[in-house]
Amino acid sequence: TWHAVEKGTNPGFLYQQNTVRDALAAGITLNIFNNHCDRVRIANIAQAVNVLQSPVLTEGAKMIKTPTWYVFHMFKSHMDATHLASFVSTETIGIDDAKVNAVTASASHKKGDYTVTLTNADLNKARSVTVKLDGLKAVSAAEGVVLAGKLMNSMNTFDKPNEVVEKKCKVEINGNEVTVKMPARSVVVLKIKK
């Protein structure tokens, strides 16, 4: 993302704060890349520190992880994994001709472990999402991690570095299905074992 620079900073350095909005942009984009991994062989974030959608921000000797950092951390299980075809049945959100799917997803597996990453871009509505793993009779274990904020512009600051962080979330297993309740404005990773 590329937003207006923070007030009081050098405009040429493109320093901007990073919020839940940026976490959603990262999660949605990474799901797109993963779902098109047959064509997108590699993708990188160009700005790493103190510029545009940086994973980390620094101030002197201090450093904070941004919501974007947490999304990259949550999606790392897709690396070197085999992509799995996935389909999401969801509402669209937005206005007029600017509508998008409320929920996006991508999935992969590696050595018997399955990773499903989800985003809920709805600003106001929590969503219950059920992941069905076709071809499996039963799931033996599953855990979920969620990244969300109280507001779309919730952020980590040097005074409050843990406002937007990963947290474990409850999942329910029923045979080959795993259900998770996603808060509004959230990114979720499910790690599932067969």
Side-chain angles (χ1 to χ4, degrees):
T1 58
W2 191 326
H3 307 295
V5 300
E6 291 293 305
K7 291 179 184 176
T9 64
N10 183 325
F13 294 163
L14 302 176
Y15 180 91
Q16 67 182 44
Q17 184 48 269
N18 191 285
T19 67
V20 169
R21 163 196 60 201
D22 301 297
L24 283 168
I28 291 166
T29 301
L30 290 173
N31 276 338
I32 291 168
F33 289 167
N34 196 40
N35 285 327
H36 295 282
C37 64
D38 59 326
R39 294 184 296 267
V40 179
R41 305 306 269 170
I42 188 170
N44 303 296
I45 190 163
Q47 293 76 23
V49 181
N50 290 348
V51 61
L52 301 182
Q53 191 173 357
S54 298
V56 296
L57 298 176
T58 64
E59 187 177 275
K62 297 187 277 185
M63 182 188 86
I64 57 171
K65 297 172 185 174
T66 68
T68 295
W69 184 93
Y70 287 101
V71 171
F72 272 72
H73 184 254
M74 293 166 73
F75 277 62
K76 71 181 182 179
S77 294
H78 287 308
M79 289 185 351
D80 298 322
T82 301
H83 175 258
L84 295 172
S86 58
F87 172 78
V88 178
S89 177
T90 184
E91 296 175 76
T92 57
I93 56 172
I95 58 169
D96 302 328
D97 292 335
K99 292 192 183 261
V100 296
N101 286 339
V103 175
T104 70
S106 68
S108 64
H109 76 90
K110 181 174 21 180
K111 299 178 183 172
D113 293 334
Y114 296 84
T115 299
V116 178
T117 48
L118 303 158
T119 64
N120 177 10
D122 197 308
L123 299 179
N124 303 306
K125 186 177 177 184
R127 296 180 185 275
S128 180
V129 175
T130 298
V131 174
K132 181 178 181 182
L133 293 148
D134 289 335
L136 286 184
K137 290 186 179 177
V139 169
S140 65
E143 62 181 38
V145 173
V146 63
L147 180 75
K150 295 175 187 169
L151 302 169
M152 187 62 118
N153 62 354
S154 294
M155 66 184 84
N156 297 331
T157 65
F158 293 100
D159 293 331
K160 295 182 178 180
N162 297 311
E163 285 294 301
V164 183
V165 296
E166 298 172 359
K167 296 178 181 170
K168 289 191 176 195
C169 62
K170 182 181 175 187
V171 298
E172 295 178 11
I173 300 171
N174 184 13
N176 68 341
E177 296 181 346
V178 177
T179 301
V180 62
K181 185 160 185 175
M182 298 182 69
R185 306 169 305 277
S186 66
V187 180
V188 168
V189 61
L190 300 175
K191 294 186 180 179
I192 302 167
K193 293 190 179 294
K194 64 177 182 176

